[in-house]
Amino acid sequence: MSCVLVLLSFIVLSGDGIISEGASRPHVVNVGAIFGLNTLHGKVANIAMKAAEDDVNSDPSFLGGSKLRILMNDAKRSGFLSIIGALKFMETDAVAIIGPQTSIMAHVLSYIANELKVPMLSFTALDPSLSPLQFPFFVQTAPSDLFLMSAIAEMITYYGWSDVVALYNDDDNSRNGIASLGDELEGRRCKISYKAVLPLDVVITSPREIINELTKIQGMESRVIIVHTFPKTGRMIFEEAKKLGMMEQGYVWIATTWLTSLLDSYSPLPPKKIEAIRGVLTLRIHTRESRKRRDFGARWNKLSNGTVGLNVYGLYAYDTVWIIARAVKSLLDSEANITFSSDSKLTSLKGGTLNLGALSIFDQGPQFLEFIVKTKMSGVTGPVQFLPDRSMLQPAYDIINIVGDGFKQIGYWSNHSGLSVIPPESLYIKPPNRSSSNQHLYNVTWPGGTSETPRGWVLPNNGRRLRIGVPNRASFKDFVSSVNGSKKVDGYSIDVFEAAIKLLPYPVAHEFVLFGDGLKNPNYNELVNNVSTGVYDAVVGDIAIVKRRIRIVDFTQPYIESGLVVVAAVTKLNDTPWAFLRPFTPPMWAVTAAFFLIIGLVIWVLEHRINDEFRGPPRRQVVTILWLMLKLAGENTVSTLGRVVLLIWLFVVLIITSSYTASLTSILTVQQLNSPIKGVDTLMSSSERVGFQVGSYAENYMIDELNIARSRLVALGSPKEYATALQNGTVSAIVDERPYVDLFLSEFCGFAIRGQAFTRSGWGFAFPRDSPLAVDMSTAILGLSETGQLQKIREKWLSKSNCSNLNGSHSDDDQEQLGLHSFWGLFLMCGVACFIALLIYFFKIVRDFCNDHKPVEVPSPESSHSNTLHTFLAYFDEKEDKTKRRLKRKRDHDLSVKFPRPM
């Protein structure tokens, strides 16, 4: 590139500088400008920059007596003339250059600016790749197209589209802008499916290339078209799209800022031209409403003599001049001299008559550049300030919808809060909020006059039917199979697919293509992989949605629940006379019986001395206790303490009985099945062989996730092979997906599911990644489910049974027996009540015994304890009435001794 520039510089002619070296305060400060004055942006920029020049010079004190002079070079949209203009400005000692107009020339001329230290400021060359690291003397004074593409990507996400077509010119600005859009979309799981590249805007003379590209787009799937070009090419695109019927309902057109510039400068457009763009969305760089902007807008008609309207680039042209003027003021106020010196690299090039020494280096260029990027002012565009990365402060865009004979604004985009119907300046005072619920735009009138958001895609109009891959199964043909060996297919999965297709709001021409030989089940991973490689447009069948597959394809909403389960041979447990014992565990029965006896013993202790029914021969007392326990405190003859104990026991018995009844009812009404296989844990801890279905993902799952050795696995091909292998002991169990197992159990008896499903998944239809048809089919499947049609299809194919429903039965380990862990609190409460009752009774009887048996003489130590114990036991066994009579006689005797009767 540097060699090219040196060669180009040889065309420079000699010239005299306006600013002499050593001048401390120059009379004139030159600023160059390179624009094509025959272009829209060039016309507007020229008027705006001259207005800014006059405004700066209207106050002589602003630059301390110096004048700012804008030297315009008409590049006539020629790259060659742009280079010549830049080199001429280097001769005239320009301190800065405004322009160039295009990014192509910005890349080229930035090398000259870097070498000669002359800042270049552009508000139209907004290529995202113009990095300040590579081009430090190039400054973009309007928001980079990087933000424009972020806004468009966010709009695409907002409307739910995932696939777009880009239509643009083959120049740096357009090409790099679309590349940035692709990066933004990729982060949102969207993509540019086709890039329609047109010749440079300056060389397009006929619509032939445009028509060719539009015709290609017509036959594609995506209906969202991004037009990133220039006004001339843009007008031609929409005129030809209108003729081709591409401005009708179903299409989405998003034009970048070129269209709003056209509308602002030439509004209103002629009816034919506005008709060609109705329904289009476009964007405009947002400029804050202010008095400065209104005043400048009011002056514009006089400034332009009515030749062209003011657009946003006119505002940025005006502010760019003021950015330079303020930087010049700062440089002069810093008492720096504006000086230029020869470039040794150029003066060393000798030969010819070219005066290369006229190209001089701006000595204060780095300092001047620093003043430029530190600008902080309020302009007609709003606050003007550069961030550390040289991007503009608070980039934002207006979002415009072309309607009727004009346009309406439907919202804004800002780098702060995304899409909003509120002006961005109102949101800057709040924390950023980019959540999807906070993104809003007003309603849009789309091409064709509809207000319903277009789907954004159609099936390709290329006359080809969708090739739908279908597994040619050898077993479980109720799900999907070939009809009598023909190419026709039917089954549960096929019926679901066809019913969903009918719910789509558009026709889908398709044909089924069998995969496999029909002699054995095909490999489903290979089948799904054929979608990602383009062999099939989709796959329909009993396709499990598993991790390995979702990495390469998109699945629809599951149309049936699935998951791996274990099935094994079982025997019934209900056919036994001892089934009534099964609700409780043996320890539970033992503790219940023990407490029955304990409660009886406690009642006997409490009632023995006061209740005649608890006296007499031991047999009679035992019978009385049992009878009373069965009546549960139904007699009034029981003492208060005894009744409390019995009531607590009654409470315990009621709870235990209700639990027992519920459990026994479940046991007697639901078949109980027994098998040594309790579930997947049994398979993992044993060394028994395990069966699986040929072609199923269960094989890899057991090897990779359950660490079951491959040598233990046995491939089985049909339900009959399942039954045979389980019956003759070839395998101890089979692992398969639940729908297959349900179908197997409906035909073969003596088997059941053991444990619970140990994976959760479903079956769906596979489509290529990011296929919009997958989304619409998911919606259709949900519609089938809500209307009950999905259940009817299932009943048609899968609801049949030749034996009792062991599939839904409980296994012996599924029905949990009731044990002590469920009732220990009740038994504890009952035991505590018994202990307290006995304690109260013990203290009472000991007190009475001590009062009734006061010793009259001191016994010998050897016989004291035995006599006392013997006497206490006799007292304990004595009926309380007899004790009371004896005590009464004793008190009467004592009174007669103490108070004898008179004779």
Side-chain angles (χ1 to χ4, degrees):
M1 176 63 73
S2 60
C3 293
V4 174
L5 292 177
V6 171
L7 289 174
L8 289 172
S9 69
F10 283 176
I11 65 172
V12 179
L13 302 177
S14 62
D16 296 327
I18 300 298
I19 305 173
S20 60
E21 295 186 16
S24 59
R25 182 69 70 165
H27 296 294
V28 176
V29 178
N30 286 335
V31 175
I34 305 174
F35 281 88
L37 298 183
N38 61 335
T39 66
L40 172 61
H41 291 164
K43 293 176 183 177
V44 173
N46 185 42
I47 297 171
M49 288 188 292
K50 289 299 182 182
E53 176 187 6
D54 293 341
D55 291 346
V56 170
N57 294 330
S58 64
D59 182 5
S61 64
F62 182 75
L63 293 179
S66 297
K67 294 286 186 179
L68 188 72
R69 183 167 67 179
I70 307 295
L71 303 174
M72 177 61 70
N73 176 74
D74 185 4
K76 302 184 185 333
R77 303 196 71 185
S78 167
F80 177 75
L81 292 181
S82 296
I83 296 174
I84 295 297
L87 294 174
K88 281 185 175 181
F89 292 142
M90 303 306 175
E91 286 183 328
T92 55
D93 295 339
V95 297
I97 296 175
I98 302 176
Q101 188 170 337
T102 65
S103 294
I104 294 178
M105 295 316 304
H107 279 90
V108 174
L109 298 181
S110 290
Y111 287 101
I112 300 177
N114 289 350
E115 180 67 25
L116 301 181
K117 312 301 181 188
V118 177
M120 299 183 68
L121 294 82
S122 180
F123 47 86
T124 56
L126 303 177
D127 181 353
S129 68
L130 286 167
S131 166
L133 296 177
Q134 183 179 7
F135 306 112
F137 279 83
F138 181 79
V139 180
Q140 293 175 333
T141 57
S144 165
D145 280 351
L146 177 65
F147 301 106
L148 173 64
M149 297 307 163
S150 295
I152 293 175
E154 203 147 344
M155 290 168 62
I156 291 169
T157 304
Y158 174 79
Y159 289 113
W161 304 314
S162 60
D163 196 349
V164 304
V165 170
L167 189 58
Y168 60 98
N169 295 107
D170 191 18
D171 65 89
D172 286 358
N173 187 73
S174 301
R175 190 186 313 110
N176 294 329
I178 294 300
S180 296
L181 176 61
D183 294 339
E184 290 289 335
L185 291 175
E186 185 177 355
R188 293 170 167 82
R189 281 205 68 182
C190 303
K191 66 178 181 179
I192 299 175
S193 59
Y194 179 69
K195 295 180 179 180
V197 184
L198 299 174
L200 293 176
D201 183 72
V202 294
V203 302
I204 290 184
T205 57
S206 72
R208 180 172 51 83
E209 293 91 347
I210 294 174
I211 294 173
N212 290 340
E213 289 297 337
L214 290 177
T215 303
K216 291 179 185 178
I217 294 172
Q218 268 188 313
M220 295 178 182
E221 184 176 276
S222 177
R223 283 294 182 262
V224 182
I225 305 168
I226 312 299
V227 182
H228 186 44
T229 180
F230 298 91
K232 173 187 171 184
T233 303
R235 285 197 301 264
M236 295 174 67
I237 288 173
F238 283 111
E239 287 171 1
E240 298 306 322
K242 177 69 175 176
K243 295 176 184 178
L244 292 171
M246 298 177 68
M247 299 306 298
E248 302 300 326
Q249 188 171 339
Y251 282 91
V252 175
W253 293 86
I254 300 178
T256 51
T257 53
W258 66 267
L259 182 53
T260 49
S261 299
L262 188 66
L263 293 172
D264 290 338
S265 296
Y266 296 114
S267 183
L269 293 177
K272 287 187 177 180
K273 293 187 180 296
I274 197 70
E275 184 180 356
I277 58 174
R278 284 198 185 112
V280 175
L281 292 180
T282 184
L283 299 95
R284 177 201 293 130
I285 301 175
H286 176 73
T287 55
R288 186 175 299 189
E289 179 65 29
S290 66
R291 182 175 179 179
K292 283 186 177 181
R293 196 184 80 171
R294 289 193 300 271
D295 291 345
F296 186 68
R299 295 168 53 194
W300 183 259
N301 193 52
K302 182 178 180 181
L303 293 171
S304 65
N305 294 320
T307 57
V308 65
L310 174 63
N311 62 40
V312 69
Y313 293 103
L315 300 176
Y316 276 100
Y318 184 88
D319 277 353
T320 300
V321 173
W322 273 100
I323 291 173
I324 294 172
R326 287 177 175 272
V328 169
K329 175 178 173 58
S330 298
L331 183 65
L332 296 177
D333 290 347
S334 68
E335 300 182 355
N337 292 329
I338 297 180
T339 61
F340 295 84
S341 59
S342 300
D343 188 345
S344 60
K345 296 178 183 178
L346 293 178
T347 55
S348 64
L349 295 175
K350 298 181 179 179
T353 59
L354 296 175
N355 185 10
L356 300 179
L359 300 178
S360 54
I361 295 175
F362 181 18
D363 296 328
Q364 289 75 38
Q367 185 181 2
F368 185 56
L369 176 65
E370 189 71 16
F371 286 128
I372 288 174
V373 297
K374 286 185 176 180
T375 298
K376 189 174 183 180
M377 71 178 195
S378 177
V380 293
T381 61
V384 177
Q385 185 177 346
F386 295 94
L387 298 177
D389 64 353
R390 296 272 193 93
S391 63
M392 298 297 292
L393 177 71
Q394 299 171 345
Y397 293 86
D398 302 332
I399 302 176
I400 308 297
N401 181 206
I402 312 300
V403 294
D405 294 330
F407 53 87
K408 67 175 182 179
Q409 186 162 339
I410 62 168
Y412 306 87
W413 178 90
S414 71
N415 197 39
H416 180 77
S417 295
L419 301 174
S420 173
V421 294
I422 302 173
E425 46 268 22
S426 302
L427 300 174
Y428 293 141
I429 59 176
K430 302 177 182 179
N433 186 349
R434 304 300 289 269
S435 65
S436 58
S437 61
N438 197 54
Q439 306 299 296
H440 303 287
L441 291 174
Y442 289 124
N443 292 334
V444 175
T445 300
W446 303 98
T450 180
S451 59
E452 181 179 355
T453 302
R455 188 171 63 248
W457 69 278
V458 295
L459 293 174
N461 185 22
N462 51 18
R464 185 178 69 85
R465 293 172 175 267
L466 293 183
R467 287 172 51 85
I468 309 295
V470 176
N472 192 7
R473 295 193 58 87
S475 62
F476 294 106
K477 294 188 176 183
D478 296 84
F479 294 109
V480 58
S481 65
S482 170
V483 178
N484 299 324
S486 67
K487 293 184 178 181
K488 184 179 180 181
V489 293
D490 65 1
Y492 169 68
S493 300
I494 300 299
D495 280 6
V496 172
F497 178 79
E498 293 287 10
I501 283 288
K502 292 178 181 178
L503 293 183
L504 298 180
Y506 48 88
V508 180
H510 61 279
E511 60 180 352
F512 295 114
V513 181
L514 291 170
F515 177 78
D517 55 15
L519 302 178
K520 64 177 181 179
N521 294 333
N523 187 300
Y524 278 48
N525 289 333
E526 292 181 9
L527 176 59
V528 172
N529 189 60
N530 283 340
V531 176
S532 65
T533 58
V535 176
Y536 299 131
D537 298 305
V539 164
V540 170
D542 45 341
I543 314 297
I545 304 172
V546 295
K547 180 173 65 175
R548 177 179 296 183
R549 296 169 186 169
I550 62 176
R551 292 173 178 169
I552 59 175
V553 297
D554 280 351
F555 279 95
T556 62
Q557 170 82 14
Y559 62 88
I560 187 173
E561 291 184 0
S562 182
L564 294 178
V565 295
V566 177
V567 62
V570 294
T571 57
K572 297 181 182 179
L573 292 180
N574 286 357
D575 301 334
T576 171
W578 303 105
F580 72 91
L581 295 176
R582 295 192 63 233
F584 288 164
T585 61
M588 180 66 184
W589 281 116
V591 171
T592 302
F595 260 83
F596 188 85
L597 297 177
I598 291 171
I599 296 299
L601 180 60
V602 171
I603 295 300
W604 180 84
V605 169
L606 297 176
E607 301 295 328
H608 176 66
R609 299 187 70 248
I610 61 176
N611 197 326
D612 289 336
E613 294 185 6
F614 289 86
R615 302 189 64 81
R619 178 179 296 179
R620 177 188 173 189
Q621 296 187 45
V622 171
V623 172
T624 301
I625 293 172
L626 294 177
W627 177 249
L628 182 64
M629 291 292 291
L630 292 175
K631 292 196 297 181
L632 296 175
E635 292 289 330
N636 293 328
T637 56
V638 181
S639 66
T640 301
L641 202 56
R643 185 171 286 107
V644 170
V645 174
L646 284 173
L647 287 175
I648 294 176
W649 174 244
L650 172 62
F651 175 72
V652 173
V653 169
L654 287 175
I655 293 179
I656 293 176
T657 302
S658 62
S659 301
Y660 172 84
T661 303
S663 181
L664 182 60
T665 301
S666 175
I667 290 172
L668 295 179
T669 55
V670 180
Q671 291 181 345
Q672 301 298 305
L673 310 174
N674 184 39
S675 171
I677 304 298
K678 306 301 181 185
V680 67
D681 293 337
T682 306
L683 301 183
M684 295 172 64
S685 60
S686 71
S687 59
E688 298 289 336
R689 293 166 71 82
V690 181
F692 67 92
Q693 183 185 168
V694 174
S696 170
Y697 77 94
E699 177 185 12
N700 290 332
Y701 185 88
M702 287 189 285
I703 295 171
D704 298 337
E705 304 296 334
L706 304 183
N707 296 319
I708 295 177
R710 189 183 297 273
S711 59
R712 291 177 53 196
L713 302 182
V714 178
L716 302 171
S718 67
K720 186 175 182 180
E721 290 184 22
Y722 282 19
T724 302
L726 289 170
Q727 288 169 344
N728 62 23
T730 301
V731 296
S732 62
I734 293 173
V735 173
D736 205 351
E737 295 178 70
R738 182 65 186 255
Y740 298 125
V741 171
D742 288 343
L743 200 59
F744 166 70
L745 294 177
S746 69
E747 184 177 356
F748 294 91
C749 307
F751 310 99
I753 294 174
R754 308 301 295 162
Q756 303 296 322
F758 54 92
T759 66
R760 290 283 187 271
S761 64
W763 291 355
F765 306 133
F767 290 87
R769 290 297 295 260
D770 302 319
S771 170
L773 187 56
V775 178
D776 286 357
M777 284 294 288
S778 294
T779 304
I781 290 171
L782 289 175
L784 292 176
S785 177
E786 291 173 357
T787 60
Q789 192 173 352
L790 194 61
Q791 180 62 28
K792 291 179 181 178
I793 298 174
R794 180 166 184 163
E795 291 173 355
K796 171 186 174 182
W797 288 98
L798 308 181
S799 296
K800 49 190 175 183
S801 179
N802 296 330
C803 55
S804 59
N805 187 20
L806 300 186
N807 178 21
S809 303
H810 293 282
S811 61
D812 57 330
D813 53 312
D814 293 336
Q815 179 64 45
E816 183 180 3
Q817 289 181 298
L818 301 175
L820 285 175
H821 64 278
S822 301
F823 299 100
W824 69 268
L826 292 173
F827 286 121
L828 177 63
M829 179 179 67
C830 190
V832 169
C834 292
F835 175 77
I836 293 174
L838 289 175
L839 190 64
I840 293 172
Y841 181 77
F842 176 76
F843 279 113
K844 179 177 179 297
I845 197 171
V846 169
R847 183 196 63 187
D848 293 344
F849 175 76
C850 293
N851 292 335
D852 190 34
H853 292 78
K854 294 181 180 179
V856 295
E857 59 181 13
V858 179
S860 62
E862 294 79 5
S863 61
S864 173
H865 294 297
S866 61
N867 290 338
T868 302
L869 180 60
H870 178 75
T871 304
F872 177 77
L873 292 176
Y875 180 81
F876 177 78
D877 187 55
E878 185 178 50
K879 193 171 185 299
E880 188 173 18
D881 290 344
K882 185 178 180 181
T883 301
K884 290 180 178 180
R885 288 195 297 271
R886 187 177 67 252
L887 288 174
K888 185 175 183 303
R889 288 196 302 271
K890 183 178 179 182
R891 285 196 298 270
D892 290 344
H893 177 267
D894 292 342
L895 288 173
S896 64
V897 173
K898 187 174 183 180
F899 303 102
R901 294 181 180 179
M903 299 299 295

